[in-house]
Amino acid sequence: MIRRAVPNDVARLADLEADNLGQDAWSAGLVAAGVAGDLPTITWWVAEVDGVVVAHAVASVVADIAELQRIAVDPTHRRTGLARELLAEVGSVARAEGADRLLLEVREDNSGALSFYADQGFVEIDRRRRYYRDGATAIVLRLPLVSGCG
Ligand SMILES: CC(C)(COP(=O)(O)OP(=O)(O)OC[C@H]1O[C@@H](n2cnc3c(N)ncnc32)[C@H](O)[C@@H]1OP(=O)(O)O)[C@@H](O)C(=O)NCCC(=O)NCCS
């Protein structure tokens, strides 16, 4: 089940961040602020399996551009379509809010995520050098949310 995150999810989400994003993980404080709605334009979603939160996605929408800031699935639940479901929900909400494209940055060495995004129809539009803390390059990807966009 996909739903919006609530304050009760924060501890679990901070764990999922640490487990899945390593040194790029957001702190519990930042997770709490985002889930509480204290960060303008930011929305958090979770995916639950048997009542346990096992995946999350974070996106912001500003006018015609949506940005996917996070998507992560607990390793034991990968390749079961959860990221696909989360992304569909993000895209649908972003489109309803007026976005015509979804952008994101992904580490150039994250081959699993790159395969997922390619499968979902994202295309590379740019690269950002030294984007991550360890100096790794980010690949900028775009997914059209409406026909005729890019
Ligand atoms: C990338 C990630 C979110 C994908 O989540 P997922 O729930 O396993 O993805 P899905 O099951 O929805 O996959 C949908 C399709 O994407 C492709 N795909 C997903 N993961 C893949 C992988 N590791 N290798 C190759 N293709 C992959 C496949 O085509 C898959 O369909 P299939 O399983 O029927 O072959 C997950 O691997 C993850 O959490 N990684 C760590 C966090 C991360 O790097 N997030 C992105 C940067 S913030």
Side-chain angles (χ1 to χ4, degrees), residues 50-119:
D50 298 331
V52 177
V53 172
V54 298
H56 67 294
V58 183
S60 73
V61 180
V62 178
D64 53 344
I65 299 181
E67 284 189 67
L68 186 66
Q69 303 197 339
R70 279 290 189 271
I71 192 158
V73 179
D74 185 77
T76 58
H77 290 85
R78 288 184 192 163
R79 304 301 291 266
T80 64
L82 287 177
R84 188 189 288 127
E85 278 184 57
L86 280 164
L87 182 65
E89 180 66 14
V90 170
S92 151
V93 169
R95 203 178 297 115
E97 291 182 9
D100 63 15
R101 56 206 187 274
L102 180 60
L103 305 182
L104 63 82
E105 284 98 14
V106 56
R107 291 178 64 100
E108 64 177 349
D109 57 3
N110 191 345
S111 57
L114 284 165
S115 297
F116 168 69
Y117 294 133
D119 179 68

Side-chain angles (χ1 to χ4, degrees), residues 1 7-8 13 21 26 34-35 38 43 59 63 66 78 80 90 93 107 111 135 137:
M1 180 185 75
N8 208 28
L13 286 169
L21 283 312
W26 287 333
V35 170
D38 294 342
T43 304
R78 288 184 192 163
T80 64
V90 170
V93 169
R107 291 178 64 100
S111 57
T137 293

